[in-house]
Amino acid sequence: MSKSKTAEASIAELVREIAEHDYRYYVLADPKVSDREYDALLSELQTLEREHPELVRPNSPSQRVAGEATKLFPPAVHAVPMLSLANTYNRDEVIEFDTRVQGILERAPNFGYMCELKFDGVAMSLLYVNGTLQRGSTRGDGTTGDDVTPNVRTIRAIPLEPRTASPYANESFEVRGEVFMSLEGFRKMNREREEAGEQPFANPRNSTAGTLKTLDSHEVAKRPLTFVAYHLRFDDPKIEASEKLDTQAKRIEALKQLGFPVSKEVRVVNSIEAVMEFAMHWQEARESLPFEIDGAVVKVNALREQETLGSVAKSPRWAIAYKFEAKQAHTRLNAITLQVGRMGTITPVAELEPVALTGITIRRATLHNADEIERKDIRVGDMVIIERGGEVIPKVVGVDATKRPKHSKPFYFPTVCPECESTLVRPEGEVNWYCENPECPAQILARLTHFASRGALDIEGLGEQSVQQFVEVGLLSSVADIYDLHTHSDELLALDRMGEKKVSNLLEGIDQSKKQPPARLLFGLGVRHVGINVAKLLIKAFGSIDALRDATEEAIDAVPSVGPEIASSVFTFFRIQKNLDILDRLRKAGLPLHETEPRVAKNLSNEFFVGKTFVLTGTLPTLTREEASAMIEQRGGKVSGSVSKKTSYVLAGEEAGSKLKKAEELGVAIISESDLLRECS
């Protein structure tokens, strides 16, 4: 047998084996191999495919993220319209639905309802031709949606090819279902965004919708999208009419056989009372689910009866969605206070009578901005309605005007800062008010806390409480003062809860922060609109903070992914003398303002490290990221913040995030802390 034929057989077997492991992991939640074993299989496949590019299959697991970013989404016409379900929040309307169904069907012998959960995600159509995924498209207007196939292919819960165990594996068919994010995945993604200085997403559903419309599928692959299937239709009329597929329940089983994830919480019942029992149960128990739902779906189970009932306008007669009320509570608004952010942004906050909602006690909720307060006519003393969805900060969504106290007065947004009494300003075209006094105590506290945070200079021992204490006694008023604290040891020791060991650790943490790269310093300076990723882009483009300081606004705007708003903010920041003075003090303190090549320590370099690029992700068992980075750089390696095809190794620890997933998709070798220590020994 030729080498080519041997490789072809090996590739086919690896594709089959990896697909089986994907099925067990993403559909059954019952993996049979470790992540490392799975990665080894994928790496072996990618090696063979590189050696034999002519044998690469379009639906190979290695091809889940491939090609350039999409410039637009082509239209996708649905062969059968994707109808929207009629919705109701009213039990009586569900009973009326049942009455209409019974009247048309005259209580057919096989009558029954399939009850399903209504996943709070984005509807998706998947077309398979001869057993191969050809297209993934959104609902759109029901007739025409967006072809988002490159993004759909990154979702590992969606099989690129059905399981061969199904008798329908090689047929042409359409699967419909919901793309969504688990709550755990959503929270983890937001934690990573906040650590990177990026704005967290509001809720899982919105972030799912936004992700599917992202033009770069490599970015989509970083997001924790998953899928649940609930509809199956075959092109072959004989299969479509088969008695083996004549109910919704049988189609769900067929979807499972094909390798699609389906909801475990489905039930076939024979009365509308049982339907409502199902709906009421999940309205109360939805907090126990690892994902968001917003209702229950009721479908006539028999497909022949569905055909008899037909459709009206844009909704089928044979199904209805019973929507759950939002997670809300009513409580008294005792006061409206104003929070001052590190950029001077003024955020109104509702101070509430404590109330339980979704398992926690709510005492405060955001009021967003002055316009929202005026639009909803929210007043102190009102009985307000608060809502908490998608694990975001509670918000006030309305007022029960019938319980408004007599003589209540509209709330007028203050004109002075609550912390420093400076006059507030509202820039044209913006909804927020700002305190523009850089000496505002609240801004100073927030800026110092941000500078020392994990995502910025990562100064151990300098958390919010310590910062506040040092500000109150006059030891800190700017970030540059942090590097003078070593001259105030006696004053630090005299403070409450500041023993010798704590002071020693703090000063050591401050000294260690001088080793952080300039991008972390730029992020720590708190330039408006500059998160850690933008900071890295800017340092990569200009090479140093000094060069960025001297750059024109046009030059900053020319950096890819920056844009005019960020460019204006950066340019303005470096035109303020106080900021320049702080920068000079930081330079004199020894902080790195220039990107420098790592120096190779004598007798430490070896071929495992020299010239190689490493990316770190997750929490290592014994080493900090800084310690691991230092070990790599001392031996001639380079540490990068993002994974690409040029990455040599990804050093992964516990709770590794999107970087690990991208490494898997690109075929980058993944090592553990023990691997690193072995190479360093």
Side-chain angles (χ1 to χ4, degrees):
M1 183 180 293
S2 68
K3 288 185 178 180
S4 178
K5 288 186 177 179
T6 302
E8 185 174 8
S10 298
I11 286 173
E13 176 58 24
L14 283 166
V15 167
R16 185 204 63 76
E17 190 174 355
I18 292 169
E20 179 65 19
H21 290 312
D22 281 344
Y23 171 73
R24 301 201 68 87
Y25 186 92
Y26 293 101
V27 179
L28 301 183
D30 182 29
K32 293 300 183 184
V33 297
S34 68
D35 289 349
R36 193 171 184 84
E37 290 171 309
Y38 178 92
D39 295 339
L41 291 171
L42 188 59
S43 179
E44 184 181 353
L45 173 63
Q46 290 165 331
T47 299
L48 279 171
E49 289 179 337
R50 281 194 295 270
E51 293 172 352
H52 301 276
E54 74 281 1
L55 299 178
V56 178
R57 301 179 176 192
N59 280 342
S60 167
S62 67
Q63 301 300 300
R64 282 197 176 267
V65 182
E68 298 300 318
T70 305
K71 293 183 179 179
L72 54 83
F73 296 114
V77 178
H78 304 301
V80 176
M82 292 186 72
L83 302 179
S84 300
L85 296 180
N87 292 331
T88 182
Y89 292 87
N90 190 309
R91 180 191 184 103
D92 291 340
E93 290 182 1
V94 178
I95 294 172
E96 288 175 9
F97 162 78
D98 175 59
T99 302
R100 287 194 303 273
V101 168
Q102 291 197 52
I104 296 172
L105 297 179
E106 297 180 351
R107 198 67 183 182
N110 296 326
F111 187 87
Y113 288 121
M114 167 69 87
C115 300
E116 304 173 5
L117 301 180
K118 188 175 185 299
F119 285 72
D120 194 11
V122 176
M124 185 63 57
S125 164
L126 306 173
L127 291 185
Y128 288 77
V129 178
N130 299 327
T132 299
L133 176 64
Q134 294 294 317
R135 190 184 78 184
S137 55
T138 61
R139 172 186 281 128
D141 63 5
T143 302
T144 305
D146 289 327
D147 184 337
V148 292
T149 307
N151 292 345
V152 165
R153 291 172 66 87
T154 71
I155 304 172
R156 292 185 172 270
I158 295 176
L160 300 176
E161 295 178 346
R163 287 172 56 78
T164 55
S166 168
Y168 310 114
N170 296 317
E171 300 295 335
S172 296
F173 54 85
E174 179 189 18
V175 172
R176 291 179 180 177
E178 205 86 357
V179 177
F180 66 100
M181 290 185 184
S182 70
L183 289 171
E184 180 183 357
F186 174 73
R187 294 187 193 109
K188 186 176 181 181
M189 177 181 66
N190 266 353
R191 285 198 299 270
E192 291 173 354
R193 290 182 66 83
E194 287 174 332
E195 287 177 6
E198 297 174 344
Q199 188 72 18
F201 290 114
N203 56 62
R205 198 238 174 250
N206 287 356
S207 54
T208 297
T211 297
L212 286 170
K213 290 298 183 74
T214 299
L215 296 175
D216 188 349
S217 59
H218 291 84
E219 290 300 315
V220 177
K222 300 174 184 178
R223 307 280 176 83
L225 297 180
T226 188
F227 179 76
V228 62
Y230 52 66
H231 174 83
L232 176 63
R233 180 190 63 81
F234 289 90
D235 286 358
D236 188 334
K238 291 182 180 179
I239 298 176
E240 185 66 12
S242 169
E243 289 186 4
K244 295 179 180 179
L245 296 166
D246 63 359
T247 66
Q248 175 70 7
K250 291 178 182 178
R251 301 250 168 171
I252 293 292
E253 285 301 315
L255 284 166
K256 289 170 64 176
Q257 289 179 0
L258 285 163
F260 291 90
V262 298
S263 173
K264 297 177 182 178
E265 310 301 339
V266 294
R267 186 191 305 173
V268 177
V269 301
N270 293 314
S271 70
I272 202 64
E273 290 77 18
V275 166
M276 290 310 303
E277 180 185 332
F278 176 90
M280 292 300 99
H281 168 75
W282 285 111
Q283 180 163 281
E284 295 301 318
R286 56 180 156 163
E287 296 298 325
S288 66
L289 294 169
F291 46 80
E292 291 273 292
I293 62 172
D294 60 353
V297 175
V298 186
K299 300 175 181 175
V300 171
N301 190 35
L303 268 62
R304 182 173 298 177
E305 293 171 0
Q306 289 184 9
E307 292 176 8
T308 300
L309 289 161
S311 303
V312 292
K314 293 188 175 182
S315 301
R317 282 201 188 102
W318 45 266
I320 192 171
Y322 179 77
K323 297 290 289 291
F324 298 157
E325 295 292 343
K327 303 167 189 176
Q328 294 182 336
H330 291 66
T331 189
R332 188 70 64 185
L333 173 61
N334 292 330
I336 296 176
T337 57
L338 302 181
Q339 281 187 343
V340 185
R342 63 185 171 91
M343 301 296 184
T345 309
I346 307 296
T347 303
V349 177
E351 306 292 343
L352 307 165
E353 285 287 336
V355 62
L357 179 62
T358 64
I360 65 171
T361 300
I362 307 294
R363 292 179 171 84
R364 310 179 86 207
T366 182
L367 291 166
H368 297 293
N369 53 60
D371 286 357
E372 282 291 287
I373 296 174
E374 182 178 0
R375 184 176 67 81
K376 295 171 183 172
D377 190 20
I378 298 171
R379 307 182 185 188
V380 174
D382 277 346
M383 181 63 70
V384 294
I385 305 163
I386 60 170
E387 190 173 292
R388 182 172 181 260
E391 301 303 305
V392 295
I393 298 171
K395 58 186 177 182
V396 175
V397 297
V399 173
D400 184 349
T402 64
K403 297 181 180 179
R404 172 166 285 166
K406 292 181 180 179
H407 312 300
S408 71
K409 297 179 180 179
F411 179 81
Y412 293 103
F413 211 84
T415 57
V416 297
C417 175
E419 297 288 341
C420 67
E421 297 186 346
S422 298
T423 301
L424 300 180
V425 298
R426 181 176 178 175
E428 185 177 352
E430 294 198 28
V431 296
N432 291 319
W433 288 82
Y434 295 90
C435 169
E436 293 194 322
N437 173 20
E439 304 301 324
C440 176
Q443 292 185 57
I444 291 172
L445 175 62
R447 284 198 298 269
L448 286 163
T449 303
H450 168 73
F451 185 87
S453 68
R454 181 178 175 184
L457 278 294
D458 194 17
I459 302 176
E460 186 176 355
L462 197 58
E464 184 174 355
Q465 289 185 343
S466 297
V467 169
Q468 186 166 8
Q469 187 179 27
F470 299 162
V471 169
E472 288 174 352
V473 299
L475 290 174
L476 294 180
S477 63
S478 79
V479 297
D481 293 338
I482 292 171
Y483 297 93
D484 292 334
L485 285 178
H486 67 280
T487 65
H488 300 281
S489 296
D490 292 342
E491 294 167 78
L492 289 171
L493 288 169
L495 297 174
D496 292 340
R497 304 182 301 278
M498 290 297 292
E500 285 190 18
K501 185 174 182 180
K502 194 169 183 179
V503 170
S504 175
N505 289 340
L506 169 63
L507 296 179
E508 173 63 21
I510 292 170
D511 194 52
Q512 288 296 317
S513 73
K514 297 177 184 179
K515 299 177 182 179
Q516 296 289 3
R520 294 276 286 270
L521 174 57
L522 177 60
F523 171 53
L525 290 173
V527 185
R528 195 175 177 194
H529 304 309
V530 176
I532 185 61
N533 290 331
V534 171
K536 289 177 180 178
L537 288 172
L538 292 170
I539 294 299
K540 182 178 180 181
F542 291 97
S544 71
I545 296 177
D546 284 334
L548 179 62
R549 175 199 62 196
D550 297 334
T552 64
E553 188 171 340
E554 291 74 18
I556 301 170
D557 188 14
V559 176
S561 301
V562 170
E565 188 174 20
I566 296 174
S568 175
S569 176
V570 173
F571 182 78
T572 301
F573 180 87
F574 288 116
R575 307 279 82 72
I576 298 172
Q577 187 58 47
K578 182 178 176 66
N579 295 336
L580 298 178
D581 293 342
I582 289 174
L583 199 61
D584 284 339
R585 290 180 62 192
L586 292 173
R587 180 188 291 102
K588 291 174 182 176
L591 275 83
L593 273 65
H594 293 256
E595 192 74 271
T596 57
E597 291 297 322
R599 290 175 295 176
V600 182
K602 291 182 179 179
N603 303 322
L604 286 180
S605 62
N606 62 50
E607 62 182 19
F608 182 80
F609 294 97
V610 175
K612 305 292 178 59
T613 300
F614 293 73
V615 172
L616 281 60
T617 182
T619 303
L620 300 176
T622 64
L623 297 173
T624 66
R625 288 197 183 192
E626 290 70 25
E627 290 169 338
S629 296
M631 294 170 72
I632 291 167
E633 291 174 349
Q634 286 174 351
R635 290 162 174 80
K638 177 183 177 182
V639 177
S640 173
S642 59
V643 179
S644 71
K645 290 182 179 179
K646 295 182 180 179
T647 303
S648 307
Y649 300 100
V650 167
L651 174 58
E654 290 295 321
E655 297 185 358
S658 57
K659 294 177 183 177
L660 178 59
K661 287 187 178 180
K662 184 166 184 179
E664 293 169 348
E665 290 155 359
L666 294 178
V668 174
I670 298 167
I671 62 172
S672 65
E673 181 186 286
S674 59
D675 296 327
L676 176 70
L677 294 174
R678 183 177 62 251
E679 295 294 339
C680 289
S681 62

